[in-house]
Amino acid sequence: MNLLPQGGSADYVVTGAWSQKAVKEAKRVGTVKIAASTEAESFKRIPKQGELTLDPNAAYVHITTNNTIFGTEWHYVPDTGSVPLVADTSSDMFSRPIDVAKHGLIYAGAQKNLGPSGVTLVIVRDDLVKRTPPSLPTMLQYSVHAENKSLYNTPPVFGVYTMRLVMKWLLKEGGLAAIDKKNARKADKLYAEIDRTGFYRGHAQTDSRSRMNVTFRLPSEDLEKRFAKEATSAGLDGLKGHRSVGGLRASIYNAFPEAGVDALVQFMKEFERKNG
Ligand SMILES: *Cc1c(COP(=O)(O)O)cnc(C)c1O
């Protein structure tokens, strides 16, 4: 609503459920062109730069940097030329360093890595703030929030305060460089176990694997059900995959401890030994 001028068009890269929803909403405002989609491949990968059909006259290019349901993540920032890149980074924000300068707008709901739900972090380039059409309702204008230092209304202070505590924790842990290493270590351990024998099968293509949501299948749906049930009994909760993919999903956001990953890997080994 803020970036798409009347009669304008925007490019969307469709890599999962959140980008599909973004497309649906953008269509209410203007023309949407699909720059690439991996839907035909069950969203198991992120398209390569060469696969993106980009319109040089687009108002912006929209991507979703991490796809929670399918367990894929962008491992490069696409080159969009002079067209601003807009990224929904809700589920991997602050899990690794991010090159802000390569983006026109970054937005992230707080509820994955940043803090409680109810807060959205937005980083927007000065020249793009000026695009806001004055016809938009005041509360929806980015320019109003920017001019008022996010205090045009009373913001959700509890959520913002909690985010401050999380940011202080993150800095104490060593900041983005340190959490990046820790997240890589956590994900690598899980993917190594998935790849160890072939009993487990990763949903995402190797080069597109998410470090936040690790999705995998077992040889049968029956075993998947048993795995989820026994894991829950062992204190490893929430492993059932999203219904649109099936299988299992381990969400290992910043707050998830490495010891939890180690426990899951042990459980996976044991489960395979008994059922493989
Ligand atoms: C989680 C998520 C959202 C929205 O989350 P809600 O919990 O439904 O508010 C949007 N985009 C991405 C990329 C997400 O991971």
Side-chain angles (χ1 to χ4, degrees), residues 147-268:
E147 278 158 24
N148 291 280
K149 302 194 181 309
S150 301
L151 290 167
Y152 174 72
N153 61 311
T154 306
V157 289
F158 178 75
V160 174
Y161 174 72
T162 311
M163 250 186 85
R164 173 174 185 263
L165 297 180
V166 175
M167 294 305 109
K168 285 177 105 168
W169 168 79
L170 193 50
L171 288 170
K172 198 167 71 93
E173 292 282 297
L176 294 183
I179 204 83
D180 181 34
K181 282 208 187 85
K182 188 175 167 195
N183 285 328
R185 219 164 47 228
K186 279 157 59 183
D188 285 351
K189 283 180 179 177
L190 272 178
Y191 286 120
E193 179 55 26
I194 287 169
D195 293 340
R196 194 171 55 86
T197 63
F199 178 71
Y200 300 103
R201 221 164 4 96
H203 173 75
Q205 194 172 289
T206 317
D207 64 1
S208 304
R209 284 174 162 177
S210 167
R211 302 191 327 181
M212 296 283 102
N213 314 95
V214 178
T215 48
F216 58 100
R217 308 292 314 242
L218 271 72
S220 72
E221 285 188 23
D222 212 43
L223 278 174
E224 288 170 347
K225 276 200 195 106
R226 196 183 315 165
F227 183 99
K229 192 157 163 267
E230 289 181 15
T232 305
S233 307
L236 298 157
D237 216 346
L239 282 162
K240 192 171 176 297
H242 191 273
R243 60 189 177 284
S244 60
V245 185
L248 285 306
R249 170 174 60 164
S251 287
I252 48 171
Y253 297 113
N254 282 1
F256 193 77
E258 194 165 351
V261 171
D262 293 337
L264 177 57
V265 169
Q266 276 317 308
F267 178 86
M268 288 168 77

Side-chain angles (χ1 to χ4, degrees), residues 123-137:
I123 303 173
V124 52
R125 225 167 61 194
D126 286 336
D127 63 307
L128 295 180
V129 174
K130 298 199 182 84
R131 270 198 204 174
T132 299
S135 58
L136 267 192

